[in-house]
Amino acid sequence: MDPSLLPSLAWFAHVARHHSFTRAADEMGVSRAALSQNLKALERKLGVKLLYRTTRDMSLTEEGQRLYAVLQGALQSIDGAVRTVGDSRAEASGLLRINSSRFAAKTLVEPHLPEFFARYPKLQLELVINDGFANIIAEGCDAGIRLGQSLAEHMTAVPITPPLEMAVVATPAYFAEHGVPSTPADLANHNCLRYRYASSGGVHHWEFAPPGTTGQDFVLEPMGNYTTNDDEGMIRAALQGIGVMQHIEITVRQHIRSGALQRVLQPWSTPFSGCYLYIPTREQLPAKVRAFMDFMIEKRDDWKI
């Protein structure tokens, strides 16, 4: 094709997308008159009318509609190729917005912030905390972090933790006074700390599976005198010896290792899908998103039991 047509075709696509000469001219930084003259010249070269114009409105002719339908995909491909070339050479920089659950942000991201910023000094990171499943595109985020069971099937996602487990814990002093449960049924005799989901308002039910079985998971509704929608507040209550708590094991691992909390009923816990970093698509992945993804994948082995 004639390469000289490319600028005019791009200008035509802008006009068609906006359905307005004025808005297209403003976006492109040219005058409305210049844009109009350019489009008239394109019509003369092609020998067809692409636009109907009046003093107040414009619309596409049948030929203009066909041309715009083809140009949309072609220009997006060209734009993507240009972005890929630029990103492949660019140092990770700019603002990176990550939508994350509260648990994932505090457990997986925040402990590594000093190392991350030291490695990528030109990056700015904004954590958007949202315990519901977020539409990262609608909320203007570059990526999100959620448990695998919360992801929609169409999302592009990579695991950033191994499979996880739920751990039932309390202080050694609490168990010394109230006894150690040997089965989940024994929890009926214990004060269970309850977590209420801020998004749905429901109370988290504790999940178990009989030792040595598969596919026979069951849930119990915990009963106790303390309910909160703040997981850190629940952990603090457990550390004070108020009762028994179930939480994701990696969140309380440091307290188990220090002896501040004692884990029980471990044979009744089964692994489940861990945390994933999810993105709209891997195509034309910006350098800043690639940097964060690679960093989180690198830290994945830190969470192996």
Side-chain angles (χ1 to χ4, degrees), residues 67-107:
L67 179 59
Y68 179 56
V70 175
L71 285 177
Q72 270 186 303
L75 291 174
Q76 286 175 358
S77 296
I78 293 172
D79 183 62
V82 171
R83 289 176 183 272
T84 298
V85 171
D87 285 337
S88 66
R89 298 186 303 169
E91 181 180 0
S93 62
L95 176 62
L96 177 66
R97 301 185 79 239
I98 304 296
N99 192 298
S100 174
S101 65
R102 191 178 312 274
F103 139 71
K106 293 181 178 180
T107 306

Side-chain angles (χ1 to χ4, degrees), residues 13-193:
H14 276 285
V15 173
R17 178 163 58 87
H18 286 290
H19 289 279
S20 167
F21 276 86
T22 301
R23 288 196 293 271
D26 289 343
E27 180 183 79
M28 298 167 64
V30 299
S31 69
R32 187 185 187 284
L35 185 57
S36 179
Q37 290 300 316
N38 186 279
L39 267 295
K40 288 180 180 178
L42 176 64
E43 289 176 327
R44 287 195 297 269
K45 286 184 179 179
L46 298 179
V48 294
K49 192 170 187 62
L50 301 174
L51 301 165
Y52 291 122
R53 305 174 181 82
T54 69
T55 55
R56 305 180 67 177
D57 298 304
M58 66 133 290
S59 61
L60 298 178
T61 64
E62 182 179 352
E63 292 79 8
Q65 291 174 351
R66 287 202 300 267
L67 179 59
Y68 179 56
V70 175
L71 285 177
Q72 270 186 303
L75 291 174
Q76 286 175 358
S77 296
I78 293 172
D79 183 62
V82 171
R83 289 176 183 272
T84 298
V85 171
D87 285 337
S88 66
R89 298 186 303 169
E91 181 180 0
S93 62
L95 176 62
L96 177 66
R97 301 185 79 239
I98 304 296
N99 192 298
S100 174
S101 65
R102 191 178 312 274
F103 139 71
K106 293 181 178 180
T107 306
L108 305 180
V109 180
E110 291 177 5
H112 298 299
L113 287 178
E115 181 182 354
F116 181 77
F117 287 125
R119 190 179 301 185
Y120 302 106
K122 294 185 178 180
L123 266 181
Q124 302 167 7
L125 178 64
E126 180 177 348
L127 279 179
V128 180
I129 305 301
N130 185 337
D131 285 324
F133 184 72
N135 184 329
I136 56 176
I137 297 176
E139 297 192 12
C141 294
D142 299 289
I145 302 175
R146 290 294 185 281
L147 290 171
Q149 62 198 35
S150 302
L151 294 177
E153 292 184 1
H154 67 280
M155 296 305 301
T156 300
V158 294
I160 56 174
T161 70
L164 302 177
E165 290 183 358
M166 300 299 291
V168 177
V169 297
T171 61
Y174 173 90
F175 286 132
E177 180 178 353
H178 300 280
V180 175
S182 58
T183 71
D186 296 335
L187 293 171
N189 301 317
H190 288 267
N191 188 42
C192 297
L193 307 178

Side-chain angles (χ1 to χ4, degrees), residues 157-234:
V158 294
I160 56 174
T161 70
L164 302 177
E165 290 183 358
M166 300 299 291
V168 177
V169 297
T171 61
Y174 173 90
F175 286 132
E177 180 178 353
H178 300 280
V180 175
S182 58
T183 71
D186 296 335
L187 293 171
N189 301 317
H190 288 267
N191 188 42
C192 297
L193 307 178
R194 295 153 39 102
Y195 178 79
R196 187 180 300 281
Y197 295 106
S199 55
S200 67
V203 172
H204 168 69
H205 286 193
W206 295 11
E207 302 175 9
F208 299 99
T213 64
T214 58
Q216 300 183 33
D217 294 7
F218 62 94
V219 298
L220 293 178
E221 181 176 0
M223 302 303 295
N225 62 9
Y226 183 66
T227 303
T228 178
N229 65 358
D230 176 27
D231 60 337
E232 288 195 341
M234 188 170 63

